């Protein structure tokens, strides 16, 4: 599957890693729910590190949409919240 | 729902909305390509803007560092002249400058990161735009409108995601450079008004003035010693006074002699 890290580009990640990433993602979601910024940063860092270590960069000339998109390294919870509520963070 | 899935969906929704607006998919390929080129221009401008801000920060950092070095030298000079009070003053001001330097350095690093990110974004977008152009020509040449639809959707969704990502990166960099510009502008104004100089070394560089005064009186001492040596005389002040008295005896006006006499002992005191 293709995973995009916002601000970094796309990586090809083995489908077998899906469960592992999903469990990290669940922790991320939990942090967002209780507005725990520190936990959010920690888990996001783990998730990104994992994807970077198991993924291989996709040729940027590939016109393929990603299966999963992860916020970038220095994303704050507020930014992610804005992104999720689609308050115009993605310019059209 | 998971964060990753939600973010992904937001991007998808964006692409689908744009696709829905298209009537003849083949015609809109060109329009989309145009938008991509515009975004490419924008991201390149963004890179240039960030670089400009970074360079400006660099100049300010250099200037502050020079001021800090100057204060360091002054502190040493003051200590050498036995003026610990002055040295302390200089070092206190240096510490103030160093705080600024540390802050600016952090911002500098952050701008550098932004510049690298945006440069990467620009390169990735360039690659995708190139791929899109090729695909667009193929689709237009090979397929009927109906057949083209699926392929166009794929290509469009692929590039739309990149465009959204790059768009966010540009927005971010713009926000950051705006903040930085405001700060840099304020700092430039401070420097131009002399307020930073004041912080470096007081309104008229009082530390330097004091050091100059110490230096000057030292050189007067040295000169006096040299003159004494030349004249082969030990007690310079007395000899000058004597000379004044002789002049006074031969003089036309007593007031001139008196003024000489009152001035010369003062010079002697200072020596």
């Amino acid at each position: 599957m293709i995973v995009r890290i916002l601000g970094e580009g796309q990586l090809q990640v083995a489908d077998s890693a899906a469960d592992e990433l999903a469990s990290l993602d669940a922790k991320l979601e939990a942090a967002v729910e209780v507005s725990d910024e520190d936990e959010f940063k920690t888990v996001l860092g783990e998730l990104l590190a994992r994807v970077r270590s198991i993924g291989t960069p996709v040729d940027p000339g590939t016109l393929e949409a990603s299966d999963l998109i992860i916020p970038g390294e220095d994303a704050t919870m507020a930014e992610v919240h804005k992104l999720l509520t689609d308050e115009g963070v993605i310019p059209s | 729902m998971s964060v990753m899935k939600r973010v992904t969906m937001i991007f998808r929704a964006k692409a689908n909305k744009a696709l829905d607006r298209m009537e003849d998919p083949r015609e809109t390929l060109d329009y989309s390509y145009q938008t991509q080129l515009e975004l490419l221009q924008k991201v390149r401008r963004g890179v240039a803007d960030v670089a400009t801000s970074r360079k400006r920060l660099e100049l300010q950092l250099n200037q502050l560092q020079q001021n800090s070095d100057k204060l360091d030298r002054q502190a040493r000079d003051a200590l050498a002249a036995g003026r610990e009070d002055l040295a302390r003053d200089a070092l206190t001001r240096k510490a103030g400058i160093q705080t600024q330097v540390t802050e600016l350095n952090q911002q500098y690093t952050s701008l550098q990161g932004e510049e690298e990110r945006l440069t990467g974004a620009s390169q990735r977008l360039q690659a995708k735009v190139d791929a899109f152009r090729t695909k667009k020509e193929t689709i237009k040449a090979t397929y009927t409108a109906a057949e083209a639809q699926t392929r166009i959707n794929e290509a469009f969704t692929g590039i739309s995601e990149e465009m959204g990502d790059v768009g966010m990166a540009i927005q971010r960099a713009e926000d950051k450079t705006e903040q930085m510009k405001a700060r840099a502008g304020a700092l430039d104004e401070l420097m131009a008004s002399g307020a930073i100089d004041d912080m470096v070394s007081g309104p008229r560089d009082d530390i330097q003035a004091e050091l100059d005064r110490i230096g000057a009186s030292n050189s007067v001492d040295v000169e006096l010693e040299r003159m004494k040596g030349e004249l082969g005389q030990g007690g310079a002040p007395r000899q000058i006074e004597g000379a004044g008295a002789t002049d006074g005896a031969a003089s036309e006006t007593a007031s001139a002699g008196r003024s000489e006499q009152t001035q010369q002992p003062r010079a002697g005191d200072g020596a």
Side-chain angles (χ1 to χ4, degrees):
Chain A
M1 61 183 164
I2 294 181
V3 179
R4 172 183 292 273
I5 299 177
L6 289 179
E8 282 181 40
Q10 294 172 301
L11 295 131
Q12 185 73 51
V13 174
D15 290 346
S16 56
D19 286 348
E20 188 195 348
L21 296 186
S23 85
L24 281 170
D25 192 17
K27 276 168 82 182
L28 195 63
E29 178 69 14
V32 173
E33 300 238 308
V34 296
S35 298
D36 187 342
E37 185 86 56
D38 289 341
E39 172 76 359
F40 172 81
K41 285 252 167 225
T42 311
V43 179
L44 182 59
E46 271 177 56
L47 182 59
L48 292 174
R50 195 69 195 126
V51 170
R52 286 188 200 116
S53 87
I54 57 177
T56 47
V58 171
D59 169 18
T62 311
L63 285 175
E64 255 183 273
S66 309
D67 299 290
L68 285 174
I69 300 179
I70 314 179
E73 183 81 69
D74 45 8
T76 62
M77 227 160 57
E79 281 165 354
V80 172
H81 184 76
K82 260 167 90 180
L83 182 60
L84 292 179
T85 46
D86 196 20
E87 288 171 19
V89 271
I90 313 172
S92 42
Chain B
M1 199 202 291
S2 97
V3 175
M4 290 196 293
K5 279 191 188 129
R6 276 158 69 186
V7 174
T8 313
M9 273 174 57
I10 296 282
F11 273 83
R12 280 291 161 76
K14 209 96 192 173
N16 289 337
K17 217 191 270 173
L19 271 173
D20 287 345
R21 282 200 297 265
M22 297 183 174
E23 285 178 8
D24 181 344
R26 286 187 300 177
E27 271 172 36
T28 50
L29 278 174
D30 287 324
Y31 173 72
S32 172
Y33 181 62
Q34 210 50 50
T35 318
Q36 292 159 26
L37 291 181
E38 278 163 21
L39 185 63
L40 208 45
Q41 287 251 308
K42 206 174 162 192
V43 72
R44 287 192 188 129
R45 262 203 310 277
V47 172
D49 278 351
V50 176
T52 306
S53 274
R54 179 180 54 74
K55 281 176 197 148
R56 188 174 179 192
L57 215 52
E58 217 167 78
L59 286 177
Q60 290 183 330
L61 268 168
N62 282 342
Q63 201 167 338
L64 286 175
Q65 196 53 54
Q66 277 171 17
N67 287 346
S68 171
D69 293 346
K70 179 181 170 193
L71 284 164
D72 197 86
R73 275 198 308 277
Q74 288 180 333
R76 279 169 208 281
D77 290 349
L79 265 188
R83 290 290 305 273
E84 196 175 325
D85 59 323
L86 262 190
R88 182 177 298 277
D89 207 0
L91 290 179
T92 308
R93 287 173 195 173
K94 184 188 159 192
I97 300 278
Q98 280 303 326
T99 311
Q100 287 255 13
V101 168
T102 309
E103 263 179 48
L104 283 191
N105 258 326
Q106 281 168 359
Q107 289 172 8
Y108 184 80
T109 312
S110 140
L111 267 193
Q112 254 182 335
E114 215 56 61
E115 195 177 342
E116 275 165 32
R117 265 196 289 273
L118 221 48
T119 306
S122 163
Q123 285 161 356
R124 285 193 299 274
L125 182 62
Q126 176 74 67
K128 285 240 190 301
V129 169
D130 288 345
F132 188 89
R133 191 192 54 230
T134 310
K135 198 145 204 165
K136 163 174 90 79
E137 295 311 322
T138 314
I139 292 170
K140 274 168 49 177
T142 324
Y143 298 95
T144 63
E147 286 171 331
Q149 187 70 64
T150 326
R151 285 171 177 81
I152 291 173
N153 283 6
E154 280 168 13
F156 187 83
T157 310
I159 198 145
S160 153
E161 186 184 302
E162 189 73 41
M163 289 170 77
D165 192 357
V166 169
M168 281 167 71
I170 295 174
Q171 190 58 53
R172 223 192 132 84
E174 267 175 10
D175 290 350
K176 222 165 227 181
T177 44
E178 272 319 304
Q179 282 173 15
M180 220 63 86
K181 271 184 200 158
R183 262 197 83 112
L187 196 55
D188 272 346
E189 257 170 51
L190 271 178
M191 283 173 166
S193 74
I196 287 273
D197 284 341
D198 289 357
M199 211 171 82
V200 175
S201 40
R204 285 174 305 279
D205 200 349
D206 51 356
I207 293 182
Q208 194 56 49
E210 187 64 14
L211 285 171
D212 289 348
R213 202 190 58 73
I214 296 171
S217 72
N218 281 345
S219 72
V220 166
D221 285 347
V222 169
E223 188 127 343
L224 269 176
E225 283 310 311
R226 188 179 58 77
M227 285 180 170
K228 284 181 203 169
E230 278 173 14
L231 292 168
Q233 290 158 347
R238 218 186 308 124
Q239 290 307 319
I240 292 168
E241 246 175 50
T246 317
D247 284 345
S251 76
E252 314 86 72
T253 59
S255 66
R258 214 181 299 131
S259 80
E260 255 179 56
Q261 276 175 1
T262 49
Q263 276 169 6
Q264 276 154 2
R266 212 188 295 145
D269 289 344

